[in-house]
Amino acid sequence: MTSAFAFLPFLAACLAAASTGIVFRPGRWYANLNQPSWRPPNALFGPVWLVLYIMIATAGWLVWREAGLAGAALPLAIYALQLVLNGLWSWLSFGLRRLDLAFFEMGVLWLSILATILAFQPISATAAWLLVPYLAWVSFALFLNFTLWRMNPETTAAAGQ
């Protein structure tokens, strides 16, 4: 029972990261950008992130359950870092409307997810594998962010003025 309650802080941490996507919404500015033809519909993003955040929370919880906070301090610190970076992206992209900064930040996020997977692997292979779809989705999102930035160079120039 205690282990099940311990899942809640991991879920709460994921909800905190997700909350920036609620605060900083794409809105009209994003809708008016030049978009690639292969961009998924807006309705897909919410359900995908919901599933991913549940998987991310589960992965962190599995590592904690297996090794505890003391036994997995570094892997869980990397995990926390990737959640902070995850939340930061919405602010950079939709809050500041800086697709360039969002792209570079997402590159760091991608590296932190990979580092989390590598750090989780020796503790829980299941936890590591639970993060692979997250890495795949962020890989796709990184390419989409780059494409949007390149298709809308005025966003960088306008934001810098």
Side-chain angles (χ1 to χ4, degrees):
M1 189 70 161
T2 303
S3 180
F5 281 120
F7 177 71
L8 294 177
F10 290 96
L11 190 58
C14 288
L15 288 173
S19 70
T20 63
I22 295 167
V23 173
F24 301 105
R25 311 269 316 151
R28 188 176 15 201
W29 167 81
Y30 185 77
N32 289 332
L33 293 176
N34 296 318
Q35 304 277 344
S37 60
W38 48 265
R39 186 190 165 279
N42 288 340
L44 182 65
F45 287 90
V48 167
W49 276 111
L50 175 64
V51 171
L52 290 174
Y53 281 126
I54 291 169
M55 293 170 75
I56 295 164
T58 302
W61 174 73
L62 287 172
V63 166
W64 170 84
R65 192 180 71 174
E66 188 65 33
L69 188 56
L74 181 59
L76 290 172
I78 298 167
Y79 173 86
L81 172 65
Q82 64 79 25
L83 282 176
V84 169
L85 292 169
N86 180 306
L88 183 60
W89 183 86
S90 293
W91 174 67
L92 292 172
S93 185
F94 304 132
L96 294 181
R97 299 179 179 174
R98 290 293 304 265
L99 296 175
D100 56 339
L101 295 178
F103 169 74
F104 290 111
E105 188 274 345
M106 191 181 288
V108 177
L109 170 60
W110 190 94
L111 290 171
S112 72
I113 297 166
L114 180 61
T116 305
I117 291 169
L118 295 174
F120 278 15
Q121 176 60 35
I123 300 167
S124 170
T126 302
W129 279 107
L130 280 169
L131 296 177
V132 171
Y134 175 35
L135 185 65
W137 182 255
V138 169
S139 298
F140 170 76
L142 184 64
F143 183 63
L144 176 59
N145 190 138
F146 178 77
T147 303
L148 288 168
W149 172 33
R150 300 318 309 157
M151 291 178 72
N152 299 278
E154 69 282 357
T155 60
T156 302
Q161 294 177 350

